[in-house]
Amino acid sequence: MESATQICFAVEMTLGKLAKWLRILGFDTRYSSNFSGKRLIDKGKGCVLLTRTQRIRDMKTAQKRIFITSNNPFDQLREVVQSLGLTMKDIRPFSRCIRCNMRIRTVEKITVRGRVPDHIWETHDIFHMCTHCRRIYWPGSHTRRSRERINRLFQ
Ligand SMILES: [Zn+2]
């Protein structure tokens, strides 16, 4: 099994929520709202293709791909996890920007003052920032919910 840092995914345009979840888990996830057919294959070189298109599933190339059958994003994620035999050790939750796929870094609390709501700044000490889009993340309720779902995923 490759480590999480080596796996990358290229996700078909219709699977946006799945792409978001893969980024939450920390995987390098290439996704765009125009990823279909040949573009998906080109942009996904060296990555695992996640597709719902039978033509891509049946392609005769060596490129690794997973044909997603579920309509529910969380079940789709389960399909990926089971298909690759991923475990908790393979994931780095909340290490990547959900919006642009870049790694996020811990930043000094003072640097985000005025850039997050006041009550968030006053009640949190740990903040992360995307090195690309500068979006700020903090361990809030959304993270707690996400953690619970991640735990269920690997049960
Ligand atoms: Zn970003």
Side-chain angles (χ1 to χ4, degrees), residues 56-70:
I56 292 179
R57 179 192 63 187
D58 299 337
M59 243 175 14
K60 290 188 172 48
T61 73
Q63 188 161 10
K64 192 157 190 163
R65 72 209 89 145
I66 298 171
F67 185 70
I68 302 292
T69 57
S70 174

Side-chain angles (χ1 to χ4, degrees), residues 97 100 130 133:
C97 181
C100 59
C130 172
C133 73

Side-chain angles (χ1 to χ4, degrees), residues 42-127:
D42 287 347
K43 299 287 184 183
K45 286 220 168 70
C47 299
V48 179
L49 301 182
L50 305 184
T51 182
R52 310 185 77 174
T53 307
Q54 293 193 0
R55 189 169 51 79
I56 292 179
R57 179 192 63 187
D58 299 337
M59 243 175 14
K60 290 188 172 48
T61 73
Q63 188 161 10
K64 192 157 190 163
R65 72 209 89 145
I66 298 171
F67 185 70
I68 302 292
T69 57
S70 174
N71 289 319
N72 173 287
F74 200 70
D75 290 337
Q76 293 169 348
L77 185 63
R78 202 181 292 274
E79 288 182 50
V80 175
V81 164
Q82 288 177 350
S83 172
L84 295 174
L86 299 173
T87 69
M88 277 285 202
K89 279 186 291 189
D90 297 310
I91 62 170
R92 304 285 176 276
F94 316 110
S95 62
R96 214 170 264 279
C97 181
I98 309 304
R99 189 155 56 189
C100 59
N101 195 38
M102 299 295 283
R103 291 195 175 282
I104 56 175
R105 285 217 187 111
T106 308
V107 289
E108 296 275 351
K109 178 170 174 162
I110 191 72
T111 61
V112 304
R113 186 166 200 175
R115 303 193 54 208
V116 296
D118 284 349
H119 69 281
I120 296 294
W121 197 83
E122 280 154 22
T123 52
H124 291 75
D125 290 316
I126 298 173
F127 293 93

